[in-house]
Amino acid sequence: LWLRDSCSCPQCLDPDSGQKTFSTTDLPDFPEVKSANIDGEGNLIIVWQNDPLSNGQEHTTTVTVDELRRFEKVNPQPRIQLQPPPQKTFWDKAYYEKLRQEGKCTVSYQDWMTNDEAFWEAFSNLTKTGLLFVQGVPEDEKEVQKVANRIGMIQNTFYGDTWDVKSKPNAENVAYTNVFLGLHQDLMYHVPIPRLQLLHCIANSAEGGESIFSDGFRAIAEMRRFHFDEYENLCQKLVYFGYEKNGNHYQRAHCTISLNRAEKPIAIHWAPPFQTTFRGHVPQQWKDAATIFKKNIEDPENVVEVKMKAGECVIFDNWRVLHGRKEFAVGGSGTRWLKGTYISPQVYQAKETALVRRLLGDKPWPAHSFSASVKTWIDEQNDWASRK
């Protein structure tokens, strides 16, 4: 049944849209096989008889070796697979500044927009470090959407397609003030949580207002190594986030660290300004673990500080990289204006998959297995430990 249902011939899979032309429920439980042979190229050729989708006639299905691998009982895979990006690179302040000096975390606006090779290299670096700077962006408030669209469609939220980061009175968000904004992630109460955030600096002549960033995945890798019990607590205890302003009512609960089936961290949830109350009491073990995490991400040796210049756009992984801002002066001649937008998890993952296919070229596209996910997480931790 799986083999018949997976047939990708033009009759069963529309060659233009790539979509199935039938429902699995249209097939019998035990499709009748007339013959099954291996051709000279190693493909499996199956001839079905009394095929209901062919008006009771015969139907031929060709299954390649790569397609058959999806049928392995240890690792069954669907036809369309989203692939993980290359191995991530953890960083602290010194290592990230080293990468920037090597040009691995910056790209020109011209290259990002018009040079495919430069774009894919920059996007690859973004998937590895979670933090990329685009230089020389025209100082126009519509440009942030153009930069984002190079990756894909932007994500609309109740803030709109794009939004302004400016100090204003009676601000509905602490980001729209001039006070210090500690390390955090955006929209932990939203579904889905935006994967990428872009901030285009249009003006930044005010005194202060430096942007700060810290690698959350590096922090939890270190916690796992040196404070394992506390690391596990952050993976297990739910924390509540919410937003209630101007008719917007949002609330979600997440563990500080989210794991996939292979127990590899896939996201961090850290947003103290938007954390609501726990149920009944503050869990002491979570507070102790969260205190260790907070000290780690805020350690000056782990924080990258950048006074963004007009024409600079930062792109960062909102599931991994924590960001904030130092206090800045208001009034006088100085101004600070950033234009922001988001990209959703699905759009980002689609671009990651396109990157993997591009890197593989004509080589077989590997199935992402449980064991591969575990190995990647171990490799990422060992790579960081070796550099430390």
Side-chain angles (χ1 to χ4, degrees):
L1 175 59
W2 182 88
L3 289 166
R4 180 63 189 89
D5 188 60
S6 299
C7 183
S8 58
C9 78
Q11 178 183 332
C12 297
L13 202 67
D14 185 273
D16 294 322
S17 67
Q19 296 167 1
K20 286 179 69 172
T21 61
F22 66 95
S23 168
T24 304
T25 58
D26 296 332
L27 296 171
D29 293 343
F30 302 96
E32 298 181 45
V33 177
K34 180 180 180 181
S35 63
N37 299 285
I38 302 297
D39 68 11
E41 298 179 358
N43 300 315
L44 174 62
I45 310 298
I46 305 172
V47 178
W48 311 95
Q49 62 185 2
N50 300 320
D51 184 63
L53 302 183
S54 306
N55 297 317
Q57 303 299 308
E58 293 180 356
H59 186 88
T60 301
T61 295
T62 300
V63 189
T64 67
V65 173
D66 288 338
E67 289 173 326
L68 277 172
R69 287 187 181 133
R70 295 203 300 265
F71 194 48
E72 293 179 49
K73 293 182 179 179
V74 176
N75 182 32
Q77 295 290 333
R79 176 182 285 122
I80 297 176
Q81 302 172 58
L82 297 177
Q83 293 298 302
Q87 181 177 312
K88 289 179 173 56
T89 300
F90 300 159
W91 48 266
D92 56 10
K93 178 180 179 179
Y95 193 71
Y96 189 81
E97 289 180 350
K98 175 178 179 292
L99 293 175
R100 287 196 76 180
Q101 290 172 0
E102 295 172 353
K104 293 181 179 179
C105 298
T106 61
V107 62
S108 73
Y109 170 80
Q110 192 67 24
D111 281 347
W112 179 263
M113 298 300 296
T114 63
N115 184 327
D116 278 350
E117 289 298 326
F119 166 79
W120 283 110
E121 181 180 356
F123 183 75
S124 176
N125 288 328
L126 174 63
T127 67
K128 293 174 183 176
T129 65
L131 181 62
L132 177 75
F133 290 86
V134 183
Q135 311 285 355
V137 181
E139 294 166 29
D140 184 296
E141 60 180 298
K142 296 180 180 179
E143 286 295 333
V144 69
Q145 185 166 344
K146 294 180 182 178
V147 173
N149 286 159
R150 193 71 166 94
I151 298 173
M153 296 293 292
I154 62 176
Q155 179 179 353
N156 182 281
T157 68
F158 63 87
Y159 289 115
D161 289 338
T162 62
W163 26 270
D164 296 289
V165 181
K166 290 180 177 178
S167 178
K168 62 180 182 179
N170 304 316
E172 68 271 23
N173 189 309
V174 68
Y176 302 158
T177 67
N178 69 314
V179 301
F180 173 78
L181 181 58
L183 290 167
H184 68 285
Q185 295 158 287
D186 277 17
L187 274 64
M188 295 294 100
Y189 44 78
H190 194 274
V191 179
I193 296 172
R195 182 62 189 269
L196 291 183
Q197 181 173 170
L198 292 85
L199 291 170
H200 173 209
C201 181
I202 298 176
N204 197 12
S205 57
E207 182 180 351
E210 292 83 1
S211 299
I212 54 176
F213 304 94
S214 186
D215 184 4
F217 278 9
R218 173 207 48 74
I220 61 175
E222 292 180 354
M223 281 196 69
R224 190 176 189 277
R225 188 178 181 193
F226 299 110
H227 305 278
F228 186 76
D229 289 344
E230 289 80 1
Y231 166 86
E232 283 205 316
N233 188 277
L234 295 184
C235 296
Q236 297 167 0
K237 180 59 65 177
L238 286 174
V239 181
Y240 297 84
F241 302 94
Y243 182 89
E244 190 170 24
K245 197 79 173 177
N246 298 331
N248 297 300
H249 305 277
Y250 292 82
Q251 189 269 340
R252 296 293 288 181
H254 304 281
C255 294
T256 304
I257 303 171
S258 288
L259 307 176
N260 65 8
R261 190 171 61 89
E263 297 190 355
K264 175 183 177 180
I266 56 174
I268 296 170
H269 304 98
W270 184 261
F274 299 97
Q275 187 178 315
T276 64
T277 55
F278 285 93
R279 292 188 173 179
H281 71 285
V282 176
Q284 187 62 45
Q285 288 182 323
W286 176 87
K287 184 177 181 293
D288 293 343
T291 300
I292 294 173
F293 176 74
K294 184 174 185 288
K295 288 180 179 179
N296 189 307
I297 60 174
E298 293 181 353
D299 188 318
E301 292 186 356
N302 295 329
V303 177
V304 170
E305 181 177 314
V306 180
K307 173 77 173 183
M308 291 184 66
K309 301 175 182 177
E312 195 167 28
C313 181
V314 63
I315 309 174
F316 55 92
D317 185 344
N318 188 52
W319 286 15
R320 167 186 176 180
V321 175
L322 300 103
H323 69 287
R325 178 205 63 224
K326 290 194 169 183
E327 182 179 357
F328 64 94
V330 293
S333 58
T335 59
R336 187 179 190 272
W337 177 18
L338 305 182
K339 195 78 177 182
T341 194
Y342 297 116
I343 289 177
S344 73
Q346 281 189 305
V347 169
Y348 176 68
Q349 194 171 20
K351 207 66 175 182
E352 281 184 329
T353 297
L355 171 66
V356 172
R357 290 189 172 188
R358 182 182 177 87
L359 293 173
L360 288 173
D362 295 330
K363 292 183 290 185
W365 192 28
H368 180 44
S369 67
F370 177 93
S371 59
S373 183
V374 173
K375 183 179 183 302
T376 301
W377 172 226
I378 293 173
D379 288 345
E380 289 168 349
Q381 294 176 90
N382 289 342
D383 176 64
W384 173 249
S386 68
R387 281 189 267 120
K388 292 297 287 181

